[in-house]
């Protein structure tokens, strides 16, 4: 019997997860704080943290609990209450604080932390590179973008055999949905089946985004940018210093002109002392005509003002925060950079992804008290505190020379305004827009002719559903209404696949093998993978329909865990 799954918190994300699980035929119960229209039999209404509510949902008999509220504190309270009622229950916990989530995963057994931002951000990044990705897959310690290819009359793969696609090591075939019949991918590869109109093919490609090399010219350009930034901040101080020097030179020239017997060094010494108030060589002015004495008095007043302003600026730089902020703030790149508007969860994760790959990023955030500002400063990413809807703000981020722009604030209306403003300034700029509603995301893209409009909920919900069905996963996706998952299975002596050839097991269980790690750390793929025999200790990376995961529930692994921090996917 399939294990019972409870989804606690039926907000936008939670209800999407709940619907996906029901669509895949899982036994699922929802817990909501308010009644839902059309949902009466399988939804319990009450306080999410209440023991009585959890008991009514069947927490004691449940196998998995998905906590999907958008409040970290509430999710932690639900976690504690659930573990008291059922210490063995598997928990899929949605947490915004991923650092806390990592600690919980290491501390608590059967606990998996997932973040909507972390799951969606890579897809946003791939969209900025021009890839129309629908998901991501963790393979070979890399994040591979996932695509769906729909074969129509004009598709270049029409008539191509699946065998030819299978042999490409830089392309990983994940799932095959033929328009006619129910042929699985492995059988189609072995039979050299040709792609027909209406077929759907899910595949992942090895990531190879264009990176700009840090050449000597680029380093010089960055140095020049630093100089420009210092020039802007020190402009007032430089002007005061130049005016002070000019005043001293005028005074020195005047004193040497009225009396050629006065050495220029004495005149300079007196001018500096007179203007700064330090004194010295007063006889230069004492024996001078009355007009020169009036000139000296006038220069003293001017000097006092200039020196006072100079001391004030120096005090502001040394004792204030301007100098420290200048050292901490990175300069705004001049070209080939990415602009992220909105430093929320999605924005910060997108910045981390781009920064980790070596790309230049500029952040535009309207809230000067944003919680992620210190994180951005620590990464040495320039931040502009201003309204991203304004053309002047976008121009200050050098939008004309940018590669792409992300409009990822928490407000859909503001995101649309940012996108339209950006397109008005640079029509050919690739703009990636965040929209909370999965349905309206597609409509927005069509109506406003935007490059990519993505819904984090739409991207992340299948991962939560797949994790609830099959443990920690490598990737997931939706094809023709069917949810498929990618996972790593540790082959034990009692595993149903143990002793079978990968080819036979794949056709029997309707899964697609990706690659195999043997006990000798040898990696097999392509034809070698299909011919391999599974032995205890092997780790088989595969994709399969979520509805078929009960085949893996029948046997629990006796020992061990998947290598490479992947965890056991049984």
């Amino acid at each position: 019997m399939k294990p019972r799954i409870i989804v606690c918190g039926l907000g936008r994300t939670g209800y999407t997860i709940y619907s996906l699980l029901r669509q895949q035929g899982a036994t699922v119960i929802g817990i909501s704080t308010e009644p839902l229209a059309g949902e009466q039999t399988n939804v319990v209404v009450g306080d999410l943290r209440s023991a009585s509510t959890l008991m009514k949902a069947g927490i004691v008999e449940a196998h998995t609990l998905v906590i999907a509220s958008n409040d970290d504190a509430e999710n932690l309270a639900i976690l504690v209450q659930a573990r008291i009622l059922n210490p063995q229950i598997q928990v899929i916990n949605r947490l915004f604080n991923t650092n806390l989530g990592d600690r919980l995963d290491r501390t608590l057994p059967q606990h998996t932390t997932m973040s909507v931002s972390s799951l969606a951000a890579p897809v946003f990044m791939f969209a900025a590179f021009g890839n129309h990705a629908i998901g991501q897959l963790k393979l070979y310690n890399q994040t591979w973008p996932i695509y769906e290819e729909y074969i129509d009359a004009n598709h270049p793969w029409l008539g191509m055999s699946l065998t030819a696609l299978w042999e490409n090591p830089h392309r990983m075939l994940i799932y095959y949905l033929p328009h006619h019949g129910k042929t699985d991918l492995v059988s189609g590869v072995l039979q050299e089946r040709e792609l027909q109109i209406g077929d759907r093919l899910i595949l992942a490609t090895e990531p190879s985004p264009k990176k700009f090399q840090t050449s000597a010219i680029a380093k010089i350009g960055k140095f020049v940018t630093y100089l420009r930034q210092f020039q802007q901040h020190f402009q007032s101080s430089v002007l005061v210093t130049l005016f002070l020097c000019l005043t001293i030179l005028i005074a020195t020239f005047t004193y040497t002109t009225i009396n050629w017997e006065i050495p220029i060094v004495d005149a300079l010494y007196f001018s500096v002392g007179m203007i700064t108030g330090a004194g010295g060589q007063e006889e230069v002015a004492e024996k001078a005509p009355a007009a020169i004495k009036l000139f000296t008095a006038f220069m003293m007043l001017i000097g006092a003002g200039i020196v006072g302003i100079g001391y004030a600026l120096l005090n502001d730089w040394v004792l204030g925060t301007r100098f420290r902020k200048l050292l901490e703030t990175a300069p705004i790149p001049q070209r080939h950079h990415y602009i992220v508007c909105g430093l929320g969860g999605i924005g910060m994760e997108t910045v981390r992804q781009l920064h980790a790959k070596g790309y230049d990023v500029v952040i535009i955030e309207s809230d000067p008290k944003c919680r992620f500002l210190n994180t951005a400063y620590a990464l040495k990413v320039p931040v502009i505190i201003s309204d991203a809807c304004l053309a002047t703000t976008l121009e200050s981020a050098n939008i004309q020379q940018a590669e792409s722009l992300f409009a990822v604030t928490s407000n859909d209306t503001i995101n649309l305004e940012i996108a339209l403003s950006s397109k008005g300034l640079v029509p050919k700029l690739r703009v990636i827009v965040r929209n909370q509603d999965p349905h309206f995301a597609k409509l927005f893209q069509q109506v406003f002719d935007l490059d990519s409009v993505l819904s984090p909920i739409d991207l992340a919900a299948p991962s939560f559903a797949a994790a609830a069905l099959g443990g920690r996963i490598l990737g997931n996706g939706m094809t023709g209404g069917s949810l498929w998952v990618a996972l790593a299975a540790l082959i034990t002596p009692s595993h149903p696949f143990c002793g079978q050839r990968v080819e036979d097991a794949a056709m029997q269980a309707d899964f697609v093998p990706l690659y195999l790690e043997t006990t000798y750390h040898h990696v097999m793929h392509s034809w070698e993978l299909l011919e391999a025999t599974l032995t205890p200790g092997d780790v088989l990376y595969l994709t399969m329909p979520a509805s078929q995961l009960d085949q893996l529930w029948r046997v629990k692994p006796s020992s061990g865990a998947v290598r490479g921090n992947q965890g056991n996917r049984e």
Side-chain angles (χ1 to χ4, degrees):
M1 179 178 178
K2 294 184 180 180
R4 179 188 296 254
I5 301 173
I6 299 176
V7 180
C8 191
L10 298 185
R12 279 185 173 180
T13 304
Y15 188 75
T16 304
I17 298 169
Y18 171 79
S19 300
L20 284 174
L21 289 170
R22 283 203 313 176
Q23 183 180 350
Q24 304 310 311
T27 305
V28 57
I29 299 293
I31 303 179
S32 175
T33 56
E34 299 177 355
L36 301 178
E39 300 286 351
Q40 286 140 12
T41 56
N42 294 324
V43 174
V44 176
V45 179
D47 184 359
L48 304 181
R49 300 170 293 182
S50 171
S52 60
T53 303
L54 293 172
M55 291 290 291
K56 188 177 180 181
I59 189 71
V60 177
E61 299 83 12
H63 176 275
T64 302
L65 172 67
V66 180
I67 307 176
S69 166
N70 59 2
D71 186 340
D72 281 7
E74 185 175 42
N75 290 348
L76 290 174
I78 297 170
L79 167 65
V80 173
Q81 187 65 259
R83 277 298 171 89
I84 291 176
L85 298 174
N86 185 349
Q88 304 302 321
I89 192 169
Q90 178 186 357
V91 177
I92 311 299
N93 199 354
R94 175 188 178 186
L95 287 179
F96 187 76
N97 189 338
T98 54
N99 292 330
L100 173 61
D102 291 339
R103 295 186 179 94
L104 289 175
D105 291 345
R106 292 193 294 266
T107 303
L108 300 176
Q110 297 294 316
H111 182 277
T112 301
T113 299
M114 303 186 76
S115 166
V116 172
S117 301
S118 299
L119 292 169
V123 182
F124 277 78
M125 182 186 66
F126 289 134
F129 296 151
N131 302 333
H132 297 285
I134 62 172
Q136 56 170 316
L137 184 63
K138 298 286 187 180
L139 293 175
Y140 300 116
N141 298 320
Q142 289 182 301
T143 302
W144 293 43
I146 301 173
Y147 311 94
E148 178 179 4
E149 294 286 349
Y150 177 79
I151 309 301
D152 56 22
N154 299 319
H155 199 284
W157 291 356
L158 179 62
M160 182 180 293
S161 68
L162 291 173
T163 305
L165 297 174
W166 177 266
E167 293 173 346
N168 190 336
H170 304 291
R171 182 187 297 124
M172 198 74 69
L173 300 186
I174 296 175
Y175 196 74
Y176 174 56
L177 189 64
H179 183 62
H180 300 289
K182 295 183 179 181
T183 304
D184 62 89
L185 179 58
V186 174
S187 298
V189 170
L190 295 175
Q191 297 169 8
E192 300 186 1
R193 183 186 178 103
E194 294 182 351
L195 294 172
Q196 305 296 325
I197 296 177
D199 290 354
R200 295 178 182 270
L201 190 65
I202 302 296
L203 65 153
T205 57
E206 186 175 6
S208 57
K210 183 172 69 173
K211 295 188 68 173
F212 298 97
Q213 300 297 326
T214 308
S215 61
I217 298 177
K219 292 180 179 179
I220 294 174
K222 286 188 176 182
F223 179 72
V224 171
T225 304
Y226 270 105
L227 292 180
R228 289 177 180 173
Q229 182 181 11
F230 272 93
Q231 179 185 358
Q232 294 174 357
H233 286 82
F234 283 106
Q235 188 172 6
S236 57
S237 301
V238 172
L239 290 176
V240 170
T241 303
L242 291 176
F243 195 65
L244 176 63
C245 294
L246 180 62
T247 304
I248 294 174
L249 290 176
I250 292 175
T252 302
F253 177 76
T254 302
Y255 293 131
T256 54
T257 301
I258 63 169
N259 189 352
W260 293 100
E261 295 180 357
I262 299 177
I264 190 171
V265 174
D266 292 343
L268 177 63
Y269 182 71
F270 172 71
S271 299
V272 173
M274 175 263 298
I275 292 175
T276 60
Q281 294 289 339
E282 286 79 2
E283 59 272 12
V284 172
E286 288 177 354
K287 300 178 181 180
I292 297 301
K293 291 181 179 180
L294 290 175
F295 171 78
T296 301
F298 180 71
M299 296 300 290
M300 285 181 177
L301 294 176
I302 294 179
I306 295 175
V307 172
I309 295 173
Y311 279 135
L313 291 173
L314 181 62
N315 180 71
D316 182 44
W317 279 106
V318 176
L319 301 181
T321 60
R322 293 180 62 191
F323 187 69
R324 178 175 59 84
K325 288 183 178 179
L326 177 62
L327 293 178
E328 293 177 351
T329 304
I332 298 175
Q334 298 300 307
R335 60 180 63 85
H336 302 319
H337 57 284
Y338 295 83
I339 302 174
V340 177
C341 303
L343 197 59
I346 296 292
M348 191 66 248
E349 286 298 325
T350 303
V351 169
R352 285 197 182 103
Q353 294 277 343
L354 291 168
H355 184 267
K357 292 184 178 296
Y359 292 97
D360 291 329
V361 186
V362 178
I363 299 170
I364 301 179
E365 170 58 43
S366 59
D367 184 8
K369 297 181 180 180
C370 175
R371 59 175 294 187
F372 291 114
L373 283 178
N374 289 333
T375 304
Y377 291 142
L379 294 175
K380 297 296 182 181
V381 175
V383 181
I384 300 175
I385 305 297
S386 186
D387 186 357
C389 298
L390 301 177
T392 53
T393 302
L394 295 173
E395 289 173 348
S396 66
N398 296 327
I399 188 174
Q400 290 82 2
Q401 303 298 328
E403 289 287 322
S404 296
L405 180 139
F406 299 86
V408 289
T409 73
S410 57
N411 189 304
D412 292 347
T413 304
I414 293 178
N415 290 338
L416 178 60
E417 185 177 359
I418 294 172
L420 296 179
S421 299
S422 303
K423 285 292 188 179
L425 293 173
V426 187
K428 295 184 178 180
L429 178 69
R430 178 172 292 277
V431 178
I432 316 303
V433 183
R434 171 187 179 181
N435 192 283
Q436 300 285 6
D437 193 302
H439 174 67
F440 281 102
K442 298 178 181 178
L443 297 180
F444 269 53
Q445 185 169 350
Q446 294 177 3
V447 172
F448 297 104
D449 194 24
L450 298 172
D451 298 289
S452 293
V453 181
L454 302 174
S455 170
I457 296 174
D458 198 24
L459 296 172
S463 294
F464 282 85
L469 292 170
R472 193 183 298 271
I473 59 172
L474 306 175
N476 63 85
M478 295 287 297
T479 306
S482 298
L483 174 66
W484 57 264
V485 297
L487 50 89
L490 175 64
I491 306 301
T492 61
S494 57
H495 196 283
F497 298 159
C498 185
Q500 296 190 44
R501 295 176 65 211
V502 173
E503 172 186 327
D504 299 332
M507 290 189 291
Q508 177 184 353
D510 189 22
F511 70 80
V512 178
L514 301 177
Y515 65 95
L516 177 69
E517 289 182 357
T518 68
T519 54
Y520 301 102
H521 304 286
H522 176 60
V523 178
M524 298 182 181
H525 51 78
S526 190
W527 296 110
E528 183 185 17
L529 168 63
L530 294 178
E531 296 171 357
T533 300
L534 297 172
T535 59
D538 292 345
V539 180
L540 178 62
Y541 294 78
L542 57 91
T543 61
M544 68 187 310
S547 59
Q548 303 294 325
L549 286 174
D550 58 335
Q551 298 184 63
L552 300 180
W553 295 337
R554 296 179 311 190
V555 179
K556 294 184 179 180
S558 58
S559 63
V562 175
R563 295 184 298 274
N565 295 325
Q566 297 293 347
N568 194 347
R569 274 49 174 211
E570 295 294 315

